[in-house]
């Protein structure tokens, strides 16, 4: 279709820490995967991932403070809920950057925000970060945290299979009580 007939609704948003951290995680993974095929492009993604990480950490408080001054963009969430959402995404970016760079500061950042090793921590909210940590090479991971991550996924798989075996269509679902 011609540009003046464009039917795809497009939008643009202000920078925010959650999106920047999600980008940092994706760019870190892309850099690691591209290294073999295009080292220069891998370096650009690595630098971009680190810049997105740095920006998000530096600006989280200011962005959340600005967002909570108005109901636009907060979806009726409190500053604490917004911070928790950022922390959940920070866990994913931290583990991706740690795997890419091997720098301990990212591992420490992951450990400070992960729900692994936390009594009552909701790993479902950090599903992707928990999975990424479970896939870390043993030499990089904290053995206890990695074991907890793997155990959580094994239990989730068993729960899903139990759900599938108990319904008429043998469907599995990782979210309890969903049809």
């Amino acid at each position: 279709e011609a540009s003046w007939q464009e039917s795809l609704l497009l939008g643009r948003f202000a920078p925010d820490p959650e999106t920047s951290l999600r980008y940092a995680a994706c760019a870190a993974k892309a850099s690691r995967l591209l290294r073999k095929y295009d080292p220069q492009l891998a370096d650009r993604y690595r630098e971009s991932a680190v810049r997105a990480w740095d920006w998000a950490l530096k600006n989280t408080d200011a962005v959340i403070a600005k967002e909570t001054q108005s109901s636009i963009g907060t979806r009726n969430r409190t500053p604490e809920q917004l911070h928790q959402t950022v922390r959940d995404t920070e866990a994913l970016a931290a583990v991706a950057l740690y795997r890419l760079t091997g720098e301990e500061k990212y591992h420490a950042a992951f450990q400070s925000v992960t729900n692994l090793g936390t009594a009552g921590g909701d790993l479902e909210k950090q599903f992707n970060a928990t999975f990424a940590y479970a896939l870390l090479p043993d030499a990089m991971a904290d053995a206890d945290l990695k074991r907890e991550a793997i155990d959580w996924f094994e239990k989730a798989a068993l729960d899903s299979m139990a759900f599938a075996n108990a319904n008429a269509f043998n469907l599995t679902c990782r979210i309890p009580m969903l049809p």
Side-chain angles (χ1 to χ4, degrees):
E1 82 193 63
S3 63
W4 63 89
Q5 297 172 319
E6 181 63 59
S7 61
L8 178 63
L9 180 61
L10 301 173
R12 185 171 67 150
F13 301 92
D16 71 273
E18 183 183 359
T19 304
S20 295
L21 289 166
R22 191 171 309 285
Y23 171 79
C26 292
K29 188 172 186 178
S31 174
R32 189 172 51 82
L33 297 173
L34 285 169
R35 173 75 39 213
K36 179 178 174 183
Y37 305 102
D38 190 340
Q40 289 179 324
L41 184 57
D43 287 343
R44 288 202 323 256
Y45 274 106
R46 177 187 174 126
E47 292 165 12
S48 182
V50 169
R51 281 195 320 272
W53 168 269
D54 290 342
W55 184 92
L57 293 187
K58 180 180 175 185
N59 292 286
T60 295
D61 291 335
V63 170
I64 288 175
K66 185 176 180 181
E67 282 186 10
T68 55
Q69 289 174 355
S70 142
S71 63
I72 298 172
T74 64
R75 295 186 298 248
N76 297 320
R77 295 184 293 174
T78 66
E80 293 77 25
Q81 291 170 320
L82 292 170
H83 275 287
Q84 184 57 52
T85 300
V86 171
R87 280 192 295 273
D88 292 342
T89 311
E90 184 180 342
L92 176 61
V95 73
L97 283 162
Y98 176 54
R99 184 162 185 182
L100 172 66
T101 68
E103 292 180 33
E104 190 57 37
K105 71 178 185 178
Y106 297 116
H107 195 222
F110 172 78
Q111 290 172 315
S112 73
V113 296
T114 185
N115 289 334
L116 286 168
T118 305
D122 186 357
L123 295 178
E124 183 69 37
K125 290 187 177 182
Q126 294 182 349
F127 183 87
N128 292 323
T130 303
F131 188 73
Y133 200 83
L135 293 177
L136 277 178
D138 289 341
M140 293 184 81
D142 173 285
D144 292 335
L145 290 180
K146 183 171 180 172
R147 178 78 272 164
E148 184 181 345
I150 292 169
D151 289 348
W152 185 83
F153 276 100
E154 287 176 350
K155 182 184 179 319
L158 290 172
D159 290 348
S160 289
M161 292 309 298
F163 181 83
N165 291 333
N167 68 63
F169 303 103
N170 295 321
L171 297 174
T172 142
C173 179
R174 71 178 174 91
I175 301 172
M177 306 308 294
L178 282 184

